Amino acid sequence: TAGGASGGGWGGPVPARPFLANAMRDNNRAYHGKMKTAAKSIFEGRMTVNVALGRLGALAQGDVQESITSLQSPPNSPATIALKGSSNPLIDTGEMRQSVTWDVE
């Protein structure tokens, strides 16, 4: 059965791979700096809120995608590597990475 008898991965429970939390933690200072700069620009009338949020969204999108690509720990099990032909824990078809987007509403 898919996932093995344990209900997790083939060798047991699937370990956490918090790519979103990692990206937000690793880039927190940069986001604060960008928001501070954007707030000043908005206040001075040089930028709209939507433009500022769009820029921050695009930045965060790239950071999350990079987090997905670069995450290596915990590694895939040897059985998973053999099945999918890759050792990258979060990249199989690339669909998850490509689905990371942003939207200003």
Side-chain angles (χ1 to χ4, degrees), residues 29-65:
R29 280 188 190 213
Y31 299 151
H32 279 262
K34 297 286 186 187
M35 287 188 288
K36 185 176 178 180
T37 300
K40 183 177 179 185
S41 294
I42 292 165
F43 181 74
E44 294 172 348
R46 295 182 289 116
M47 183 184 299
T48 67
V49 171
N50 280 349
V51 168
L53 292 175
R55 289 179 181 177
L56 187 59
L59 177 64
Q61 175 183 335
D63 291 340
V64 171
Q65 288 173 328

Side-chain angles (χ1 to χ4, degrees), residues 23-98:
M24 296 302 104
R25 181 197 63 235
D26 294 346
N27 297 289
N28 193 355
R29 280 188 190 213
Y31 299 151
H32 279 262
K34 297 286 186 187
M35 287 188 288
K36 185 176 178 180
T37 300
K40 183 177 179 185
S41 294
I42 292 165
F43 181 74
E44 294 172 348
R46 295 182 289 116
M47 183 184 299
T48 67
V49 171
N50 280 349
V51 168
L53 292 175
R55 289 179 181 177
L56 187 59
L59 177 64
Q61 175 183 335
D63 291 340
V64 171
Q65 288 173 328
E66 174 58 29
S67 180
I68 290 169
T69 301
S70 65
L71 191 137
Q72 297 296 315
S73 179
N76 282 330
S77 71
T80 300
I81 294 170
L83 283 170
K84 75 181 215 178
S86 168
S87 63
N88 189 309
L90 295 178
I91 302 288
D92 189 9
T93 65
E95 183 177 358
M96 180 174 71
R97 185 180 187 283
Q98 293 168 355

